[in-house]
Amino acid sequence: MSEPIITFFHNPQTRSAGVRVLLEALGAPYEVRFIDFKAGANRTPEFLALNPLGKLPTIRYRDTVVTEQVAIYIYLADLFPAAGLAPAFDDPRRGSYLRWIAFYGASFEPAVVDHAMKRPDIDAATAGYGSYDTMLQTLVEQLGRGDYLLGERFSAADVLWGSALRWTTGFGIVPELPAIRAYIDRVCAHPAFARAAELDAGLIAEGRG
């Protein structure tokens, strides 16, 4: 019996680019379903039945549909434990691993979006991320504690953060501080980043990007 394939709904110009890196790092079997935003493929009834927000990343495995970037990283890394990109449930590093993945979705991304859109500051007692400066300082301090978020161990959390920081610093949304630049360089040296970039370059060359 053939191994079940992950259906990966993808457009290389979206957040799903990082998920492709993770799939490559895991050695996961997957097939790409290109979602052409210009043609409105993310607004069709078929796609909205999978993800009512019309957003990527979105994946389907067997009968399970997973949306939300953070959920997909956790789900996939746990689905392929042999790749070693997620601490086991009884590993003392599991809590820290989950913390930093959740910190991305709960604090980093909303703070960065508010900052980039020049929205008025929210009272730190009300904002889930406190303040943009506090959020960024917290992240930079963690990046300075080791090569990766879990110290010397590379994990799916680093694929998420490496992808996000490379994109946000590239567009000038996040400052390219020395600790951030060094972290991006370390993480993005993983072979999966080059493999995913090559595959996505093929999609773009075909006009599907």
Side-chain angles (χ1 to χ4, degrees):
M1 183 179 295
S2 62
E3 187 174 6
I5 301 292
I6 295 164
T7 302
F8 173 46
F9 300 90
H10 179 50
N11 185 304
Q13 304 298 327
T14 70
R15 291 173 178 83
S16 67
V19 175
R20 178 163 233 177
V21 176
L22 179 60
L23 288 164
E24 291 294 322
L26 292 168
Y30 70 96
E31 61 178 2
V32 173
R33 299 281 181 87
F34 175 69
I35 300 298
D36 188 345
F37 279 72
K38 294 177 182 176
N42 62 314
R43 306 307 304 175
T44 64
E46 292 78 14
F47 186 75
L48 291 175
L50 300 171
N51 189 336
L53 300 182
K55 294 283 190 177
L56 297 177
T58 297
I59 64 170
R60 183 174 60 214
Y61 181 67
R62 294 176 172 157
D63 294 327
T64 300
V65 174
V66 188
T67 68
E68 311 314 311
Q69 192 164 213
V70 166
I72 289 172
Y73 277 79
I74 295 171
Y75 178 80
L76 288 176
D78 285 343
L79 192 62
F80 297 94
L85 293 186
F89 295 120
D90 59 352
D91 189 315
R93 293 168 293 190
R94 179 76 181 185
S96 183
Y97 165 76
L98 293 174
R99 173 193 177 186
W100 290 108
I101 289 183
F103 187 85
Y104 171 82
S107 296
F108 177 81
E109 187 155 314
V112 165
V113 170
D114 284 347
H115 185 74
M117 299 296 290
K118 303 186 185 306
R119 292 170 178 159
D121 290 339
I122 305 172
D123 188 295
T126 302
Y129 53 80
S131 71
Y132 174 84
D133 290 339
T134 301
M135 176 283 298
L136 190 62
Q137 180 182 354
T138 301
L139 172 63
V140 170
E141 287 176 356
Q142 182 64 19
L143 297 182
R145 293 191 174 106
D147 285 347
Y148 304 110
L149 285 165
L150 300 182
E152 301 309 307
R153 177 173 177 174
F154 181 86
S155 72
D158 296 300
V159 178
L160 171 64
W161 278 99
S163 301
L165 289 172
R166 182 171 64 173
W167 190 88
T168 52
T169 57
F171 282 93
I173 301 172
V174 169
E176 195 173 287
L177 302 175
I180 291 177
R181 180 70 260 168
Y183 175 77
I184 293 170
D185 291 343
R186 283 194 300 272
V187 171
C188 294
H190 191 286
F193 280 84
R195 289 199 301 271
E198 183 178 359
L199 292 167
D200 278 347
L203 278 180
I204 292 170
E206 295 169 5
R208 297 198 290 167

